[in-house]
Amino acid sequence: MLLQSAFAATPVENPALQQAQTAAQQGQFSQAISAWQQVLETPNLDPAQRLNLYLQLAQAYQALGLSTQAQQSLNTALPLAGEDKLSLAKIYSSLSDIALATRQYAQARFYIDKSLLLLPSDAPPVVRASVLNYLGNVFTVEAYYVQALNHYEDALSVLKKSPQTALSV
């Protein structure tokens, strides 16, 4: 599951963060959210780590079906991303997924197109595959099934070619 791999991406430096990541990896998203919110209250938190925490919060909220809170977390993350195209691509692809979940299909298309424009050519395979998967989802709701299938296959191909994910696919 792409969601689980994203939770494992942050280096762990404090106990609350370790607790949050462990909870998220075990599917205990409410506990993870509480722990991440505690970490976010840290006054001198590194901006990059703060950004990553908001991305993880959004994924956890989404896993619980809390689209409004997920969208709020991503909207908070947007200014923290600055000009970082990879982070912006992640945010916009996640916003696309939320828009699909809330049946805002035109908004989903807008966000996934923005994500694709920003996605760096050297993006990590799991991020590229995730964006392609979300693109496939948009094509599916637009009833372009062949294009959707092509993007799902591309996402799988990206993961199979990656040494980090080839064994788990």
Side-chain angles (χ1 to χ4, degrees):
M1 179 175 181
L2 295 178
L3 179 69
Q4 294 296 347
S5 64
F7 290 131
T10 306
V12 178
E13 292 149 8
N14 72 41
L17 190 53
Q18 175 64 49
Q19 177 188 4
Q21 288 181 343
T22 300
Q25 289 169 347
Q26 295 173 351
Q28 299 169 348
F29 300 114
S30 294
Q31 289 177 342
I33 288 168
S34 295
W36 280 321
Q37 288 172 333
Q38 179 184 349
V39 174
L40 283 167
E41 292 174 9
T42 305
N44 296 325
L45 191 62
D46 176 63
Q49 191 172 29
R50 186 175 299 278
L51 168 65
N52 197 36
L53 289 172
Y54 278 113
L55 291 172
Q56 291 177 330
L57 259 178
Q59 290 175 330
Y61 280 130
Q62 211 170 346
L64 293 173
L66 301 172
S67 298
T68 301
Q69 292 89 331
Q71 187 168 5
Q72 289 170 346
S73 293
L74 293 169
N75 288 337
T76 302
L78 266 173
L80 298 173
E83 299 294 318
D84 178 3
K85 290 184 178 187
L86 179 61
S87 293
L88 290 168
K90 288 180 188 179
I91 292 168
Y92 285 119
S93 67
S94 293
L95 284 168
S96 175
D97 193 42
I98 292 168
L100 283 178
T102 57
R103 299 176 187 246
Q104 299 172 14
Y105 302 132
Q107 197 68 24
R109 168 53 77 178
F110 171 78
Y111 286 137
I112 199 63
D113 286 346
K114 203 163 186 169
S115 177
L116 287 165
L117 285 172
L118 292 165
L119 188 66
S121 59
D122 63 345
V126 72
V127 174
R128 180 168 299 287
S130 182
V131 171
L132 290 169
N133 183 64
Y134 291 147
L135 178 60
N137 294 346
V138 170
F139 275 121
T140 297
V141 299
E142 294 174 340
Y144 294 115
Y145 303 116
V146 172
Q147 292 92 329
L149 181 59
N150 290 337
H151 289 293
Y152 293 139
E153 289 173 345
D154 289 347
L156 187 56
S157 175
V158 166
L159 291 174
K160 284 183 176 179
K161 290 178 185 175
S162 169
Q164 294 89 2
T165 58
L167 294 176
S168 63
V169 176

